Amino acid sequence: DEFISSPPRKTVRFGGTLTEILLKYEKGDTTDFELLKHQLSDPDIKDAQIINWLHEFRASVAYLTKELGQLVNILLKLPWLRRSREVVEEYLGFLGNLVSAQTVHLRPCLRMIVAQFVPPRITIREDDVDISDSDDDDENISANFDTCHRALQTVARYVPSTPQFLMPILVEFFPFINKSERTLECYVHNLLRVSVYLPTLRLQILELIIEKLLKLDVSTPQQDIEDAEETANNCASEEKSTEEGLFDMEEDEDRKGSKAVSPNIERMAHPLAERLDILMTILFSYIRDVCHVDGKLDISNTKDLYRDLVSVFDKLILPTHASCHVQYFMFYICSFKLGLAEAFLDHLWKKLQDPNNPSVIRQTAGSYIGSFLARAKFIPVVTVKACLDLLVNWLHKYIDNQDKGANAYCDVALHGPFYSTCQAVFYTLIFRHKQLLDGNLRKGLSYLQSLNFERIVMCQLNPLKICIPSVVNLFAAITRKYQLVFCYTIIERNNRQFIPVVRSGTGGDLVQTCTNPLDSFFPFDPYILKRSKKTIDPMYQFWEELSAEDLEDLKKPIKKGTSEDEDDDFLKGETPQNDGVVEIAPNSYESNTRSPVSSIGSPADCYVPYPL
């Protein structure tokens, strides 16, 4: 009964051999040809049938010319990936034969493979609205991706020009940012896998991925991400308090004892930030895996990848204003070896001092130097000193040249790179002054005095008027404490001369005070994406907010005439532990990871009272 009720296996074939069918089609007899297309398009086609057909097609690829493109497209739509191993192997053999004999079909073959770089799409409709997206429950998805890469490698082996035809297809198939996180994650992961076995495409693939990440990054300002997190936390707290009110005390205690960790604790509340977080995690993992072989840093691989990443940085990151997270791929790779960090600083330095570069690029390079020196734990004091020497000497030469000219006045448009460099120096000193003075106070002070900050601050270009107030105030407090320069007279004069800008709009006149005339930003402000920040945090120096005692201490200048030992005791005993500079202790960054919006992640815009 079971045999009678079961449907027969589809092994029946019509129309003779494949060669006969194709020859008839060439002579104008299309009946068998249409029947062949119908059989190949059957959604219920069996594995045995596919294998038989593919075996015949492999022997007849010479007939599959451009005119039979429609038949080839049907073959490329066969559901071969989710079939038996025999079908997969036969199909891979067919692809190799097809592209080697008929390169005209190379693009359709590549498009078919790349289309499989995302999870299969499932159709979902709600209220007549199509909300279809990827199927995340496919257990074989990893094995399917492996097979796709085998197929692509097979094609590339037979057709050496595959990379130049493949790249435009990879660009075309990149999912939109509103697709599911899983779709974007799979596609980016597969692109990076392609770059491993097709190394000639690595630079272009990295450019493509980082360009898409950059669009995500600038679409999600840091303030929006923080607002979304705050709203989500408030909603969670309200739900928790409402839920707890439904139970009595005993039940509440039981629930507290068996409470599990929320599975969404690492999810970002902002949907675009969630996508960016996942993709940045993948990018960091790729950088780590390429640079390390068997757990050890491979210098050759690391240098090659560094060159590619610097090229992408110059092309995409440096001209982009106020990106928050994507630029951290340079921060991360530089942490592997001091030589890379120094090479990156040298690269930025050349950008800054080159007068042939646009002013905005030079200013941004200055911002990157200051932020990198201040935030990177892996940069030692000796490198900080070397960079400060370069920057300060350049500033003094710039002042020398301007003192003799007609442009020796405060103007951002004329002297943007100068002001950006000043801010980089001030910012670095705020974060690093304790390390610069550590161990031997007298020697440290002698070094800082040799930088001659007084000449920079007092020059006619008036950098204290242009730099961000939060940086100026802390720089003034620190330099006064160590009697390097007295800035408050200039700050007061600048404040008296400052004229608010009145802008007319549809809502009436608006009085604005421009506190950032440089339109500068600190590229390595705190990283706030939950998953990927785990990679960055161990090598990152966080800002410690100044306590009231710190502010009071900054108002007291150090005493002259003390011995070196007394100086050291003074630093160890009387200076508060967090005196405005991040401590090197591992737990120092846990106390505060969020900087005020007013200073865009820089030290808080604190007010240190002027001494009387």
Side-chain angles (χ1 to χ4, degrees):
D1 292 341
E2 184 178 339
F3 172 78
I4 294 173
S5 62
S6 62
R9 293 182 62 193
K10 291 194 175 185
T11 55
V12 182
R13 291 215 8 212
F14 302 97
T17 65
L18 178 62
T19 305
E20 292 171 353
I21 294 173
L22 297 180
L23 289 173
K24 284 183 182 179
Y25 178 75
E26 288 180 3
K27 296 176 181 177
D29 185 353
T30 62
T31 305
D32 290 345
F33 184 77
E34 293 299 327
L35 188 60
L36 169 64
K37 292 197 300 182
H38 179 73
Q39 291 182 54
L40 291 172
S41 303
D42 185 356
D44 297 325
I45 190 169
K46 302 296 183 183
D47 285 7
Q49 288 178 292
I50 293 178
I51 292 171
N52 288 338
W53 279 121
L54 289 175
H55 189 71
E56 288 198 49
F57 273 108
R58 289 182 67 178
S60 307
V61 289
Y63 295 98
L64 299 179
T65 57
K66 185 178 181 180
E67 289 71 25
L68 292 178
Q70 189 180 13
L71 177 61
V72 172
N73 286 336
I74 292 174
L75 288 168
L76 295 178
K77 290 178 182 176
L78 281 173
W80 63 282
L81 259 183
R82 293 158 189 84
R83 296 280 180 161
S84 65
R85 182 181 176 185
E86 291 76 13
V87 172
V88 169
E89 296 301 326
E90 192 69 34
Y91 197 87
L92 292 176
F94 162 71
L95 279 180
N97 287 13
L98 177 64
V99 296
S100 59
Q102 305 286 350
T103 52
V104 68
H105 300 304
L106 176 62
R107 278 195 183 92
C109 289
L110 294 177
R111 292 172 67 86
M112 178 273 296
I113 296 170
V114 173
Q116 306 292 337
F117 279 0
V118 294
R121 184 180 174 86
I122 54 174
T123 304
I124 307 172
R125 295 189 70 84
E126 287 187 4
D127 300 328
D128 294 329
V129 178
D130 185 2
I131 59 169
S132 303
D133 210 328
S134 63
D135 178 11
D136 295 337
D137 299 324
D138 190 344
E139 295 178 356
N140 299 318
I141 191 168
S142 181
N144 291 340
F145 289 153
D146 292 341
T147 306
C148 285
H149 288 288
R150 279 188 62 200
L152 192 52
Q153 287 172 280
T154 300
V155 172
R157 187 166 61 249
Y158 284 108
V159 186
S161 60
T162 293
Q164 70 186 72
F165 292 96
L166 176 62
M167 197 61 219
I169 294 170
L170 296 178
V171 174
E172 177 188 349
F173 276 79
F174 203 104
F176 294 113
I177 59 173
N178 60 347
K179 291 293 182 181
S180 71
E181 295 95 347
R182 182 65 171 156
T183 298
L184 287 163
E185 177 185 8
C186 289
Y187 194 79
V188 169
H189 185 271
N190 284 315
L191 284 189
L192 292 172
R193 283 187 66 177
V194 171
S195 75
V196 174
Y197 57 81
L198 294 179
T200 56
L201 288 182
R202 183 168 73 180
L203 177 58
Q204 296 176 68
I205 287 174
L206 287 172
E207 278 185 13
L208 172 61
I209 291 172
I210 290 171
E211 181 186 9
K212 300 296 182 181
L213 292 178
L214 206 51
K215 288 180 179 177
L216 270 175
D217 200 4
V218 297
S219 300
T220 51
Q222 191 161 340
Q223 188 59 50
D224 290 359
I225 297 174
E226 291 174 348
D227 289 346
E229 290 296 319
E230 186 177 352
T231 302
N233 290 337
N234 291 340
C235 291
S237 299
E238 291 175 6
E239 289 177 7
K240 185 178 179 181
S241 60
T242 304
E243 182 183 346
E244 287 177 354
L246 298 176
F247 298 90
D248 59 27
M249 291 297 292
E250 293 180 356
E251 290 174 332
D252 195 39
E253 289 300 321
D254 291 340
R255 286 190 304 109
K256 284 181 180 178
S258 61
K259 184 170 63 175
V261 178
S262 171
N264 294 328
I265 196 163
E266 285 193 344
R267 283 190 66 87
M268 301 296 297
H270 195 295
L272 294 184
E274 171 69 7
R275 289 163 172 78
L276 182 61
D277 192 11
I278 291 171
L279 299 184
M280 287 301 295
T281 303
I282 294 173
L283 183 59
F284 289 153
S285 298
Y286 171 80
I287 293 172
R288 182 190 65 241
D289 292 345
V290 169
C291 295
H292 292 81
V293 177
D294 298 328
K296 296 181 180 179
L297 186 68
D298 186 292
I299 301 299
S300 178
N301 289 352
T302 305
K303 284 182 178 179
D304 290 342
L305 181 60
Y306 169 82
R307 291 188 192 101
D308 285 345
L309 290 177
V310 165
S311 176
V312 177
F313 176 84
D314 286 347
K315 183 176 180 179
L316 298 176
I317 303 296
L318 204 54
T320 303
H321 180 69
S323 59
C324 297
H325 300 97
V326 180
Q327 60 265 26
Y328 271 89
F329 68 79
M330 287 305 307
F331 193 97
Y332 183 50
I333 193 171
C334 287
S335 70
F336 294 162
K337 192 171 179 61
L338 178 58
L340 295 176
E342 291 177 342
F344 183 52
L345 286 165
D346 182 62
H347 179 75
L348 292 169
W349 162 242
K350 289 174 180 174
K351 292 277 184 188
L352 171 62
Q353 66 169 346
D354 186 357
N356 294 318
N357 284 328
S359 178
V360 65
I361 295 296
R362 298 174 68 191
Q363 289 175 220
T364 306
S367 297
Y368 270 94
I369 291 174
S371 195
F372 192 59
L373 289 174
R375 298 292 193 174
K377 277 186 179 180
F378 48 84
I379 295 181
V381 176
V382 64
T383 304
V384 175
K385 282 186 175 181
C387 290
L388 284 177
D389 288 339
L390 276 176
L391 295 172
V392 171
N393 286 338
W394 183 83
L395 290 175
H396 285 302
K397 288 179 182 177
Y398 192 95
I399 294 170
D400 290 339
N401 293 333
Q402 293 304 318
D403 280 349
K404 304 169 186 175
N407 295 326
Y409 55 90
C410 185
D411 190 331
V412 176
L414 286 175
H415 309 296
F418 172 82
Y419 295 122
S420 180
T421 306
C422 287
Q423 185 160 279
V425 170
F426 299 164
Y427 192 70
T428 302
L429 185 71
I430 291 169
F431 271 84
R432 295 282 195 161
H433 76 273
K434 185 175 181 181
Q435 294 172 38
L436 290 168
L437 298 170
D438 193 28
N440 188 327
L441 178 62
R442 184 165 295 167
K443 189 175 179 181
L445 283 176
S446 176
Y447 168 72
L448 292 179
Q449 288 166 356
S450 72
L451 297 177
N452 197 0
F453 286 126
E454 184 173 6
R455 181 169 184 253
I456 296 172
V457 166
M458 301 290 185
C459 76
Q460 292 180 323
L461 301 182
N462 195 0
L464 296 184
K465 185 175 184 180
I466 302 300
C467 295
I468 292 176
S470 58
V471 174
V472 170
N473 286 336
L474 282 169
F475 174 77
I478 291 167
T479 52
R480 178 185 177 274
K481 174 183 175 181
Y482 295 106
Q483 298 186 3
L484 298 172
V485 60
F486 192 80
C487 301
Y488 292 110
T489 305
I490 300 172
I491 293 174
E492 285 181 332
R493 186 182 68 210
N494 290 338
N495 290 340
R496 286 196 298 269
Q497 292 174 351
F498 189 78
I499 302 174
V501 180
V502 180
R503 299 184 185 275
S504 297
T506 53
D509 291 343
L510 176 67
V511 179
Q512 293 183 338
T513 53
C514 182
T515 58
N516 188 8
L518 264 180
D519 197 24
S520 59
F521 70 108
F522 300 106
F524 297 116
D525 270 353
Y527 193 98
I528 60 173
L529 302 178
K530 293 179 181 177
R531 292 181 188 84
S532 45
K533 79 191 297 287
K534 294 176 183 176
T535 303
I536 300 299
D537 280 0
M539 60 193 72
Y540 187 82
Q541 287 193 338
F542 285 88
W543 173 253
E544 298 271 346
E545 297 294 347
L546 291 178
S547 64
E549 292 82 4
D550 296 330
L551 293 174
E552 193 66 31
D553 184 67
L554 283 176
K555 289 190 290 182
K556 301 174 183 176
I558 62 170
K559 299 176 182 178
K560 288 188 176 181
T562 55
S563 69
E564 188 174 318
D565 290 339
E566 288 173 336
D567 287 342
D568 292 341
D569 292 339
F570 173 79
L571 271 182
K572 293 173 185 175
E574 292 185 24
T575 307
Q577 186 158 354
N578 299 324
D579 69 339
V581 169
V582 249
E583 296 295 328
I584 302 304
N587 63 348
S588 63
Y589 55 78
E590 294 173 1
S591 61
N592 188 1
T593 61
R594 183 176 181 276
S595 298
V597 181
S598 60
S599 55
I600 330 174
S602 66
D605 194 357
C606 68
Y607 170 71
V608 181
Y610 299 148
L612 297 174

